[in-house]
Amino acid sequence: MDDKHMQIGEVAARTELSLRTIRHYEETGLVTPSARSQGGFRLYTETDVSRLMVIRRMKPLGFTLDQMRGLLEATDRLDGDVALDDDEREALLERVRTYRQAAAEQVEKLRVQLARAEEFADTLGARLE
């Protein structure tokens, strides 16, 4: 990954998250800026942006902050430099599989809601023709 550091405004633009939301995720320990500038400004890396994108994708699916933290911890350990034994690796992968299943279930619920919303909009459109 690129080691280029970005200030919070650039991160907000790239992730389409508000400054307030990014700061909230920092306060809750989900994403910690990798560094600070000499002036004390938060500095983020591509890895930090990737974490924020995971959170941004989980939020509309109804995942809690604790669930987000749990997935990020699992992926951090899977991607980390510390060697994992087979049992530990499998346990972490099973945790990720559980999140994937939960996400798939939420996506299906949202598809149903979207279909109903489209039917409703079509019904209103037909009334206006």
Side-chain angles (χ1 to χ4, degrees):
M1 294 243 175
D2 188 356
D3 284 324
K4 174 176 140 350
H5 286 88
M6 296 162 269
Q7 288 192 9
I8 194 169
E10 183 179 346
V11 173
R14 286 193 44 198
T15 60
E16 299 177 346
L17 294 168
S18 69
L19 301 182
R20 183 177 174 197
T21 297
I22 294 170
R23 287 187 189 110
H24 174 67
Y25 292 147
E26 179 186 347
E27 288 163 10
T28 57
L30 285 174
V31 176
T32 306
S34 291
R36 289 210 180 244
S37 70
Q38 288 180 327
F41 293 105
R42 296 166 175 84
L43 295 175
Y44 297 84
T45 61
E46 289 296 334
T47 301
D48 300 326
V49 171
S50 295
R51 289 176 73 84
L52 284 164
M53 293 303 292
V54 168
I55 295 164
R56 197 189 91 180
R57 292 177 181 126
M58 290 180 81
K59 188 154 179 47
L61 297 177
F63 288 100
T64 65
L65 292 176
D66 282 341
Q67 289 171 318
M68 293 173 191
R69 191 174 293 107
L71 177 62
L72 289 167
E73 286 171 0
T75 56
D76 285 348
R77 287 176 62 197
L78 285 166
D79 295 343
D81 296 333
V82 177
L84 303 171
D85 65 39
D86 290 344
D87 288 345
E88 192 174 10
R89 176 173 292 287
E90 187 50 43
L92 291 167
L93 290 171
E94 186 55 35
R95 194 187 314 177
V96 174
R97 284 185 203 104
T98 301
Y99 282 102
R100 182 177 68 180
Q101 180 61 35
E105 289 169 8
Q106 281 303 114
V107 166
E108 195 49 45
K109 287 179 186 174
L110 288 168
R111 280 199 176 105
V112 170
Q113 287 181 343
L114 179 60
R116 289 180 182 152
E118 288 171 336
E119 287 171 10
F120 177 64
D122 291 346
T123 300
L124 292 176
R127 178 177 291 274
L128 295 170
E129 286 174 2

